[in-house]
Amino acid sequence: GSELADRPEVWELEAYYIAQAVANYILTYSPEKVILWGGVMHQEQLFELVREKVRDLLGGYVHHSMVEEHIADYIVPPALGENPGILGAISLGIQAKKN
């Protein structure tokens, strides 16, 4: 990915593929939020491209403010930084221990 950072056509195509998956998840599961991470998502320009393409793919089919007006708050990177998987698991374990 780092070698392709200056090739916008690569990221347009990658964003389209990711947006197809996200649009399918939205239509299938109606998630409260979509959190994208992994190596390729370190290319920060992808988030806006993915959001735009998700809107295009949904074509107005989903009428919800999070998709129509607040998509930047709907499709997001993880709030836990670079190790969201393990930090999320630890957080869930701590919450379970408290209950």
Side-chain angles (χ1 to χ4, degrees):
S2 62
E3 293 175 20
L4 300 172
D6 296 329
R7 304 231 354 241
E9 70 277 7
V10 169
W11 303 115
E12 284 284 331
L13 183 60
E14 186 67 28
Y16 178 70
Y17 292 148
I18 294 168
Q20 285 180 326
V22 171
N24 281 320
Y25 298 148
I26 290 169
L27 293 170
T28 305
Y29 300 110
S30 298
E32 291 181 26
K33 187 169 284 221
V34 176
I35 301 170
L36 298 176
W37 199 241
V40 74
M41 293 310 297
H42 284 94
Q43 298 293 320
E44 291 186 21
Q45 75 271 21
L46 270 180
F47 280 96
E48 192 53 41
L49 290 170
V50 168
R51 291 173 186 133
E52 176 184 315
K53 292 181 184 315
V54 165
R55 263 201 201 118
D56 291 344
L57 288 166
L58 292 175
Y61 184 76
V62 174
H63 297 286
H64 193 281
S65 65
M66 289 306 286
V67 174
E68 295 177 339
E69 300 165 21
H70 306 287
I71 199 159
D73 297 323
Y74 184 62
I75 300 173
V76 298
L80 297 175
E82 287 297 315
N83 296 306
I86 191 66
L87 293 176
I90 290 168
S91 177
L92 288 173
I94 290 170
Q95 288 175 11
K97 179 87 170 149
K98 287 179 181 178
N99 294 333

